[in-house]
């Protein structure tokens, strides 16, 4: 029986006796009560997925044209930096009045940021557009998690998370090809300015369904809680601190120690105030779930951000082919998410997540092997397919576990904590990777002429990004052993 098919109460044979009545969960994510909502929110994820795969393919060309390869990582981390603030705001906003308004505001900011980046005449404007887009993305992702936690029963959540992953499959295949073709024939700007037109359809599908099923506070009879100004200030501090650390990582001078110190001073208390107690030391249960999300996402995204640039500059691939090297990952990511949604995997979820993190570490470590001329470029595609399989298991499982451990009235705050861990790790590890990349001559990559192999070769700049990230992912396998809180029945 498919996980998407309705199930009814029935009987099973008891040991040495007659039939025993059991309660079997009813409903599916595509039944009459959930169909419109499921199609709507999966459409939102589909748009986000298409943007991520398309923009990632166009980014190397944009950075070169705007003379911004030296701050290439900043174009990615600016998105994650502002999304941190958006996540905290969305968590409180959703808990107070429901996820409908923050989702709408987030999609609007997301589209505005794309337009700003697509019309940028300088790299700093491009990065600013990415920051606006990140603010919208932070609002959207937390609001979607709140929708799932309120509108779907616990036994349906693995299936809807698997549907989210499946929504990445077509964009992962079509996105790089479409983006590469547009970039080569019309220019990279059309990749950015064309996507906002696609915002209308997912909003038209999602918003009416959310209004019917998941709008308003979790408990309408309870008084509306005031805005937690302390958490808002902490959110500003975590965003500012992450931005300062990223800036310090790009400006490799002694004076960079000042913004680095200021960033750390803002970041440490903000992290302690916004994440569950015990997250940093990997306490069992919810803290380790939140920590693992950051370790997995940060190490993987920091490495993946440099894959197209590595293939374009070191192996001479076109933007289209470089983007397509990651396309198979969408299929395997969806496969990993589907595997974790099977009912039989639930007792083995922790072991499955450990295996997933080991696959991620292996993939990241194998990717820079293409820096050796004798290694075929398809090795990256194969390695990334393996890594995405592991990520599909890990990301969906952490989402399911978070919802399981969160009371309805805390779903927004805890979802925000999960996404903050995700986004903050992306920023910090991109900053570290970007600093190492720049220190070993990565900034000169953008000025290299493809026909001159000696000028284009900066293999050390890429290796110093990938290999440490593989170590971080391997450490995540240990964190994955601490996801269960040790209570009876866990």
């Amino acid at each position: 029986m498919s996980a998407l098919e309705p199930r009814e109460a029935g009987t099973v044979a008891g040991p040495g006796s007659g039939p025993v009545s059991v309660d079997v969960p009813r409903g599916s994510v595509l039944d009459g009560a959930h169909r419109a909502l499921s199609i709507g929110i999966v459409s939102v994820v589909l748009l986000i997925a298409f943007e991520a795969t398309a923009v990632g393919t166009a980014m190397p060309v944009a950075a070169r044209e705007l003379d911004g390869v030296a701050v290439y990582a900043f174009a990615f981390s600016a998105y994650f930096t502002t999304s941190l603030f958006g996540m905290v705001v969305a968590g409180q906003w959703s808990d107070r009045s429901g996820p409908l308004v923050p989702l709408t505001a987030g999609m609007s900011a997301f589209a505005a940021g794309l337009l700003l980046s697509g019309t940028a005449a300088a790299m700093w404007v491009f990065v600013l557009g990415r920051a606006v887009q990140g603010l919208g993305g932070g609002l959207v992702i937390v609001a979607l998690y709140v929708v799932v936690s309120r509108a779907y029963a616990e036994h349906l959540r693995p299936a809807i998370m698997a549907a989210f992953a499946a929504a990445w499959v077509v964009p992962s295949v079509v996105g790089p090809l479409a983006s590469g073709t547009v970039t080569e024939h019309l220019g990279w700007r059309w990749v950015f300015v064309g996507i906002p037109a696609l915002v209308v359809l997912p909003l038209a599908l999602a918003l009416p369904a959310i209004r019917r099923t998941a709008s308003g506070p979790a408990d309408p009879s309870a008084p509306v809680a005031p805005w937690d100004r302390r958490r808002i200030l902490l959110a500003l501090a975590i965003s500012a601190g992450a931005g300062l650390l990223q800036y310090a990582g790009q400006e490799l001078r002694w004076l960079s120690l000042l913004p680095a110190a200021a960033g750390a001073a803002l970041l440490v208390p903000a992290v302690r105030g916004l994440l569950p107690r015990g997250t940093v030391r990997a306490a069992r249960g919810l803290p380790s779930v939140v920590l693992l999300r950051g370790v997995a996402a940060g190490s993987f995204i920091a490495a993946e951000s440099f894959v197209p640039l590595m293939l374009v500059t070191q192996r001479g691939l076109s933007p289209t082919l470089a983007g397509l090297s990651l396309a198979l990952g969408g299929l395997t990511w969806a496969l990993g998410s589907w595997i974790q949604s099977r009912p039989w995997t639930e007792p083995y979820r922790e072991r499955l997540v450990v295996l997933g993190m080991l696959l991620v570490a292996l993939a990241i470590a194998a990717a820079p092997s293409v820096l050796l001329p004798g290694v075929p470029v398809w090795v990256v595609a194969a390695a990334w397919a393996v890594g995405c399989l592991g990520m599909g298991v890990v990301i969906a499982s952490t989402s399911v576990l978070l919802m399981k451990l969160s009371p309805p009235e805390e779903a927004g705050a805890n979802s925000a904590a999960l996404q903050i861990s995700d986004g903050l790790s992306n920023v910090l590890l991109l900053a570290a990777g970007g600093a190492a990349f720049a220190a070993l001559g990565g900034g000169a990559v953008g000025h290299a002429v493809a026909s001159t192999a000696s000028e284009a070769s900066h293999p050390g700049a890429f290796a110093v990004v990938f290999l440490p990230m593989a170590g971080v992912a391997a450490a995540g396998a240990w964190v994955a052993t601490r996801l269960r809180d040790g209570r009876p029945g866990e």
Side-chain angles (χ1 to χ4, degrees), residues 11-21:
T11 61
V12 296
S17 63
V20 177
S21 177

Side-chain angles (χ1 to χ4, degrees), residues 110-179:
F110 191 81
L114 282 167
L115 289 173
L116 184 58
S117 291
T119 56
M123 191 63 179
W124 71 268
V125 180
F126 182 87
V127 172
L128 178 61
R130 292 286 290 166
V132 174
Q133 188 185 348
L135 178 63
L139 292 171
V140 169
I141 191 63
V142 171
L144 285 177
Y145 271 66
V146 175
V147 170
V148 171
S149 69
R150 292 190 183 183
Y152 295 87
E154 183 176 324
H155 72 280
L156 294 179
R157 292 170 189 166
I160 193 64
M161 298 311 300
F164 281 2
W168 282 77
V169 174
V170 173
S172 295
V173 176
V174 176
L177 178 62
S179 176

